[in-house]
Amino acid sequence: MESNNEITPSQEVVKVPTVEATLLQTSVKVDETPNEESGNNITIMNEAVIKDTTESANVTTVEVGEKASDTIDNVQEQIEQDVPPSKDRKVANFANDTLEPEVKDALSYTPCFPHHIYAQLPEILKESARKFDNPRERDVYLLSALTVLSGCFPMVTGEYGQRKVYSNLFSFVVAPAASGKGVMVFAKQLGSRIHNKLVEESKNLRLRYNIDLKAYKSLEKKSEKDTFDMASVVPPVEPQSKVLFIPADISSTRLIDHLYSNGGNGILVETEADTLAGSLKQDWGGYSDKLRKSFQHEPIAYSRKGGSEFKEVENPRLSVALSGTPSQVSGIIRSVSDGLFSRFGFYTFNGVIEWKSAFPKNGENLTDYFDLLAEKIANVADSINQSPIKFSLSLEQMTMLDEVCSAWLKESYILLGEDAKASAIRLGLILYRIAMTLSILRIAESQNFNADIVCENTDFNTAIEICQILKEHFYTILRQLPKSTAKKETKHKAFLDALPPASIRFRRKEAVTIGQELGLSSRTVDNYLKDLVQSKFLESPTGKPGLFVKMIGQETPQL
C-alpha cells in the first residue's frame, strides 16, 4: 500500500526484536544526535527509542545468526553502547518499587508505533501528533487521543460479533514517573470544549429550573389561599447535569448517575492511576464491574434502599484513558483473572534520566494550540452527532481482521498460555474500534456528515499496525501481573525454541525427535507444527510438505 509518507529516511522508527517471539529483525538504526527541543523539565526517555532527526544516523546491520537469543543480545548491546545506562536508573515492578532487572529489560525494549503511520493519520491527529518530537510522547499522545475521541461520537455505531458496538476505547499507559506520559493532558484537552459546553448548558438549565421552581412554589402558596387554581399548572422538571469527563474519584452509584444524566455517554481520564485505584478499594467505589460491563455496552444499574429510586443505563458508552507508574497497575488490576485487564490497550516503557529544556527553541504554547483544536473537534462532533451514522468494514477488511486476530490468538497462547486468551480475543474489538474512530475523523475532512461510513484501507491498516504494537505491550504487562502463569514458559514456546534456528530448514521427522526429547508425542508435535505455522512462527515452503523453517520476522498484513 502506498501512502503520502512525509517522513525522511532518517526518521524511521526501529522495530526492536521481541524476545518472546524469538524472531529476528535484520537491522537497527542508532542515532547519536541529541534532541534539544522538548516540553517538560525532566523526562525519562525509553532506552531503546531511536530519536527523530534530519541529520545523518549510524546504521548497524545485524546478520541472522544461529541463535535468536545471541542476535537479540547483540542488538541490545549495540543500543546500550549508544545509550549508556545510568547507575542510578531504577524501574518499579508491578507490585512494589524494588529494582527488578528482568522487568527493567522488558520495559526498555517495548516497540514504538511505526513512524510511517503518523503520515497517514486523519488530519486532526496527524497535525497534532507533530507537536511531540519524542517517539514515546508521540505514541502516548496518539493512544490517549484515540481514546478520548472515541467517546465524542456516540451517534456512530458499528456491528461486531453480531452486536451493535460503539467506538469507545480503554487505554492504559504504564511508565515510571516523569517519563513523558504526562502528554495525556493534551489528549484530554481535545474534548474540553465539548465538556465545557455541556457544563454551561447544564448550568443555564439549572438556573432556569430554579426560577421556574420558585414561581411554581409561589403559585402553590396562592392556591392555598384559594386565590389560584393549580390544576392546570405543570411543575418544572429538574434537569440532568451533563458532563463529558467523569472523575475517577467517585462512587459506583455516582458513576451510574453521570452516565444516566449523559444519556449513557462519558469519558474517564485519569493521569494518576492510583486515584482510580483508591476508589476501587472502597466499598462505595468498587465499580470495576461497571467498567467491565461498560466496555461491552452491557446494562448497569443501582437501586436505593427501600426501592425509592432505581436507575439503569441500558447502553453505557464509556471511554477510559489511564496513565500511571508500574507499581500502580496492581491497584487497579489485581490479577489476570480480573476481566478488566483484557479490556485495556496497554502501552508501557522504561527510560533514562534526561533533562529537557523548559524553554525550547521555537517552542509553541501547546495549551493554546490544543484549545483551538478542541473547538474544531467540538464543531465536528456537533455535525456528526445530529443523526445516527452506521460504520462498517469492507468484506476484504472483515476477512483480514479474522485472519490477523486468529493468528494473534494462537501466537499469544503459544507464548503466554491461557492467561493471554481473553486479551488476544478482545484485541479484535479494540482493532475494530480504532478503525472506527479513525474513520469518523476521516469524514471530518470531507465534511460528509450525512452518509454512512465504510472504513478506508489506510485507516484499517493503521488500526492493525497500532494493535500489533499494543499486543507486544500487553505481553510485557501480563508477565508482571501477580499470579500470572505467563511468567512460565509454555510447552509451545519450549518446542519452538528447541527447533533449528531461522533460515535452516528442517523436516517433520527432525521435529518429532526434538518433541520426544521434550516428552511430546508425534501427534502433539504435528498439532504444534500446525499452530506455529498458522501463527506465523514457522513457514512451510509451498510444494514441499513436511518441510519447515522459522520465519525471520512477522510483517504486519496490509490491504
Side-chain angles (χ1 to χ4, degrees):
M1 181 197 68
E2 297 182 358
S3 62
N4 183 20
N5 195 330
E6 302 174 7
I7 308 303
T8 63
S10 63
Q11 292 176 306
E12 295 179 358
V13 164
V14 174
K15 291 186 177 179
V16 179
T18 55
V19 178
E20 51 266 51
T22 62
L23 304 174
L24 310 181
Q25 297 288 350
T26 58
S27 66
V28 172
K29 178 177 292 183
V30 179
D31 188 338
E32 298 181 345
T33 307
N35 185 349
E36 296 179 355
E37 295 187 5
S38 55
N40 298 325
N41 291 351
I42 298 179
T43 300
I44 298 181
M45 315 293 238
N46 178 266
E47 295 178 30
V49 168
I50 307 306
K51 300 176 183 177
D52 296 344
T53 177
T54 57
E55 298 181 17
S56 61
N58 297 326
V59 178
T60 300
T61 300
V62 180
E63 298 296 329
V64 177
E66 291 190 357
K67 291 184 179 180
S69 59
D70 293 342
T71 305
I72 293 170
D73 289 340
N74 292 337
V75 173
Q76 295 180 349
E77 181 179 358
Q78 177 65 49
I79 292 172
E80 290 170 355
Q81 288 174 357
D82 288 83
V83 188
S86 166
K87 65 180 180 180
D88 297 324
R89 190 183 308 147
K90 292 187 177 182
V91 178
N93 68 14
F94 291 84
N96 52 60
D97 289 332
T98 59
L99 180 62
E100 298 259 349
E102 61 274 14
V103 177
K104 173 182 175 180
D105 289 342
L107 296 186
S108 295
Y109 297 103
T110 52
C112 294
F113 294 142
H115 201 301
H116 67 266
I117 69 169
Y118 285 94
Q120 61 196 37
L121 291 171
E123 201 66 24
I124 288 174
L125 288 175
K126 180 168 66 175
E127 292 302 317
S128 56
R130 285 176 177 166
K131 303 301 176 182
F132 306 101
D133 296 323
N134 178 264
R136 287 302 189 189
E137 290 185 349
R138 186 167 53 242
D139 285 0
V140 170
Y141 167 73
L142 176 58
L143 181 59
S144 303
L146 284 169
T147 305
V148 169
L149 293 171
S150 75
C152 294
F153 309 104
M155 294 301 287
V156 183
T157 63
E159 185 176 313
Y160 184 92
Q162 298 180 296
R163 298 175 64 178
K164 179 187 288 188
V165 297
Y166 298 80
S167 56
N168 304 90
L169 293 164
F170 283 21
S171 66
F172 200 154
V173 177
V174 182
S179 60
K181 62 184 182 295
V183 299
M184 180 185 285
V185 299
F186 297 115
K188 181 179 181 179
Q189 200 173 342
L190 296 175
S192 60
R193 290 297 182 95
I194 299 174
H195 176 81
N196 294 341
K197 182 180 178 182
L198 289 172
V199 171
E200 189 64 26
E201 288 177 351
S202 295
K203 187 186 297 184
N204 291 335
L205 288 173
R206 175 65 60 177
L207 289 173
R208 181 74 258 175
Y209 167 76
N210 289 336
I211 293 172
D212 291 344
L213 183 61
K214 185 177 181 179
Y216 180 81
K217 289 182 176 180
S218 178
L219 291 176
E220 278 187 321
K221 289 182 179 180
K222 289 183 179 181
S223 67
E224 291 174 0
K225 300 177 181 179
D226 297 327
T227 59
F228 188 81
D229 184 6
M230 292 291 293
S232 60
V233 180
V234 179
V237 178
E238 184 175 3
Q240 304 286 352
S241 294
K242 294 185 178 182
V243 297
L244 180 65
F245 294 118
I246 299 173
D249 189 16
I250 57 174
S251 66
S252 174
T253 300
R254 191 63 183 138
L255 173 66
I256 295 175
D257 281 339
H258 275 302
L259 290 171
Y260 185 87
S261 298
N262 296 342
N265 309 321
I267 305 174
L268 194 157
V269 180
E270 185 50 67
T271 57
E272 296 294 341
D274 54 355
T275 300
L276 176 59
S279 293
L280 296 181
K281 289 177 182 177
Q282 307 300 323
D283 292 338
W284 48 263
Y287 55 86
S288 175
D289 62 320
K290 308 300 187 301
L291 295 178
R292 298 195 298 270
K293 290 179 180 179
S294 293
F295 181 85
Q296 303 290 160
H297 312 306
E298 297 173 0
I300 55 177
Y302 73 80
S303 179
R304 301 285 190 188
K305 283 185 177 181
S308 60
E309 184 181 13
F310 174 80
K311 279 189 178 179
E312 180 180 42
V313 181
E314 294 184 0
N315 192 22
R317 298 174 295 280
L318 179 66
S319 296
V320 180
L322 303 177
S323 71
T325 63
S327 60
Q328 294 173 344
V329 175
S330 58
I332 296 173
I333 300 169
R334 304 302 176 86
S335 68
V336 181
S337 59
D338 182 343
L340 194 57
F341 174 79
S342 62
R343 287 160 169 82
F344 278 97
F346 286 94
Y347 188 93
T348 184
F349 58 99
N350 183 33
V352 296
I353 300 297
E354 180 174 293
W355 177 266
K356 294 186 66 180
S357 173
F359 315 101
K361 297 177 182 178
N362 303 318
E364 181 179 6
N365 187 311
L366 294 183
T367 302
D368 291 344
Y369 171 82
F370 281 98
D371 190 49
L372 292 174
L373 188 57
E375 181 64 29
K376 181 177 181 180
I377 290 169
N379 292 334
V380 171
D382 283 343
S383 300
I384 291 178
N385 292 327
Q386 292 297 315
S387 58
I389 296 177
K390 182 68 180 295
F391 165 80
S392 62
L393 300 178
S394 67
L395 182 59
E396 187 179 19
Q397 291 165 356
M398 293 180 200
T399 301
M400 178 164 282
L401 187 150
D402 284 340
E403 291 175 354
V404 168
C405 292
S406 176
W408 287 349
L409 178 59
K410 288 184 178 294
E411 173 192 317
S412 63
Y413 180 79
I414 288 170
L415 296 176
L416 301 174
E418 189 69 26
D419 280 352
K421 179 181 176 181
S423 292
I425 290 175
R426 288 200 170 97
L427 194 57
L429 178 55
I430 292 172
L431 192 163
Y432 184 88
R433 286 172 168 172
I434 290 175
M436 192 174 180
T437 303
L438 291 172
S439 298
I440 294 171
L441 297 176
R442 187 72 67 184
I443 67 170
E445 300 172 1
S446 65
Q447 300 289 306
N448 185 13
F449 300 120
N450 298 318
D452 288 342
I453 307 170
V454 177
C455 185
E456 296 183 10
N457 283 343
T458 298
D459 296 325
F460 182 73
N461 290 334
T462 298
I464 288 181
E465 293 198 83
I466 289 174
C467 286
Q468 176 78 27
I469 300 303
L470 295 181
K471 171 175 64 68
E472 297 293 333
H473 286 248
F474 105 68
Y475 286 176
T476 301
I477 296 288
L478 180 59
R479 285 194 173 95
Q480 313 309 325
L481 285 178
K483 301 179 182 179
S484 173
T485 59
K487 297 177 182 179
K488 302 177 181 178
E489 185 176 62
T490 65
K491 289 185 178 180
H492 272 88
K493 178 67 163 52
F495 176 67
L496 175 63
D497 288 345
L499 293 174
S503 77
I504 297 180
R505 296 185 177 187
F506 61 92
R507 297 190 177 278
R508 174 188 175 276
K509 183 178 179 180
E510 297 173 68
V512 170
T513 300
I514 292 171
Q516 288 174 344
E517 293 175 355
L518 296 174
L520 305 176
S521 68
S522 58
R523 181 176 180 179
T524 300
V525 168
D526 286 336
N527 290 334
Y528 279 17
L529 289 172
K530 180 180 178 181
D531 290 342
L532 292 169
V533 169
Q534 291 179 343
S535 54
K536 311 300 183 184
F537 287 112
L538 297 180
E539 183 179 24
S540 183
T542 304
K544 297 186 177 181
L547 191 64
F548 304 90
V549 63
K550 278 184 181 176
M551 296 182 68
I552 293 178
Q554 291 175 309
E555 294 186 0
T556 305
Q558 298 279 289
L559 286 177

